Amino acid sequence: PHPATPDPLWSRGLGDVYKRQIINKPSIIIADEPTGNLDEKNAIKLIDLFKKLNKDFGLTFVIATHDNKVFNIGHQKMELSDGKLLNL
């Protein structure tokens, strides 16, 4: 159920998007700039959701981001530079 108070994360449909992605119990979720259009508060909520899904359900996330907060949650970090994928 949606929260009683409107929440920008829900109003943008992101909560529903991620619920639909996990309903079939995938092992990997691919997210391209997931916090790109979110305010700070909702970006943190989404980061926390990703961390919880990883911890509780063992989901692997492949995330393309320019947001350092999102980048820093990763266990394995890579960078695409000059057409090369580099392990960091």
Side-chain angles (χ1 to χ4, degrees), residues 4-22:
T5 307
D7 183 324
L9 188 62
W10 285 102
S11 66
R12 287 186 172 97
L14 290 176
D16 291 334
V17 167
Y18 289 107
K19 281 195 293 186
R20 282 193 303 272
Q21 285 190 11
I22 65 171

Side-chain angles (χ1 to χ4, degrees), residues 15-72:
D16 291 334
V17 167
Y18 289 107
K19 281 195 293 186
R20 282 193 303 272
Q21 285 190 11
I22 65 171
I23 198 150
N24 290 321
K25 300 180 182 174
S27 56
I28 297 174
I29 292 180
I30 298 172
D32 183 15
E33 294 288 353
T35 60
N37 292 320
L38 298 179
D39 59 39
E40 184 76 14
K41 177 184 169 188
N42 285 298
I44 291 169
K45 283 184 180 183
L46 188 60
I47 291 166
D48 289 343
L49 174 64
F50 285 177
K51 288 165 45 175
K52 180 171 178 49
L53 291 171
N54 173 258
K55 180 182 176 197
D56 294 353
F57 300 101
L59 285 177
T60 297
F61 287 84
V62 176
I63 303 172
T65 188
H66 289 93
D67 184 336
N68 283 331
K69 289 181 295 304
V70 176
F71 182 77
N72 288 327

